[in-house]
Amino acid sequence: MHKPSDALLAWLYVQQGVDAVRVAMERRIEAVAGCSLLEHEALYRIDMNGRLLMSELSDLLAVSPSGVTRLVERLVRRGWVAREQPPDNRRVVHAVLTDAGRQVLADTSAPAYRDSVTEEFAAALSDRDVADLKRIGRKLLEAHGKWDTKRFATD
């Protein structure tokens, strides 16, 4: 067996570290906000952009088109999202937040998300670690053509 390269070890540590944090965040958001982490992320992305095409939401969440359709259907049933179709193009479907969705996001899921980022992610890191991860994450996103304003509200 070959000794793993530093690049391979770095990838495995980051990948598995993110997975561990995500599981902890998922538990916290479900317990506090009553929704999944993915449902919160969908509400946040839609709110940040005003409205999103289903294909855009699929890309932003890294979820298959059929997975986004099921996710949005759950959010519609909960009364948090509505589908809008322009009358001149019935093939286009936008997801938009309802007032109830905005309220859940503002009052419950966003605060729970921020708290879980602080406690499950940042608490284990120094300020320097956070700055390095921010720089490295952006570099990776840019290298793969994924850095854009639809993804991030600020630099």
Side-chain angles (χ1 to χ4, degrees):
M1 170 129 170
H2 291 9
K3 180 182 175 208
S5 68
D6 284 345
L8 177 59
L9 287 175
W11 164 248
L12 292 172
Y13 293 169
V14 168
Q15 177 196 26
Q16 292 174 22
V18 167
D19 288 347
V21 169
R22 192 168 192 73
V23 166
M25 289 178 68
E26 179 79 37
R27 277 192 218 117
R28 180 182 287 268
I29 298 233
E30 284 181 359
V32 172
C35 66
S36 72
L37 181 57
L38 186 60
E39 288 171 336
H40 161 75
E41 290 172 350
L43 295 174
Y44 172 78
R45 296 294 183 187
I46 297 166
D47 185 56
M48 190 174 127
N49 291 284
R51 64 184 342 180
L52 283 171
L53 291 168
M54 299 294 276
S55 59
E56 292 172 320
L57 188 57
S58 173
D59 180 55
L60 288 170
L61 297 175
V63 173
S64 70
S66 62
V68 160
T69 298
R70 288 188 302 273
L71 171 65
V72 169
E73 181 56 36
R74 285 194 311 270
L75 296 172
V76 167
R77 281 195 308 269
R78 295 182 91 169
W80 296 348
V81 169
R83 290 188 192 90
E84 289 184 354
Q85 291 180 293
D88 59 332
N89 188 349
R90 304 300 289 170
R91 291 176 297 177
V92 172
V93 179
H94 288 97
V96 296
L97 284 190
T98 63
D99 290 340
R102 248 182 241 89
Q103 185 169 3
V104 164
L105 180 64
D107 296 347
T108 311
S109 75
Y113 182 83
R114 285 190 298 275
D115 289 348
S116 67
V117 166
T118 299
E119 294 172 27
E120 307 298 344
F121 172 71
L125 305 170
S126 69
D127 290 346
R128 174 68 189 259
D129 292 338
V130 171
D132 287 346
L133 285 171
K134 183 178 169 189
R135 177 184 54 76
I136 292 164
R138 181 169 179 159
K139 184 182 274 191
L140 290 169
L141 289 163
E142 287 172 343
H144 292 276
K146 296 295 186 178
W147 184 262
D148 62 48
T149 58
K150 283 191 187 285
R151 286 182 197 284
F152 306 100
T154 61
D155 275 51

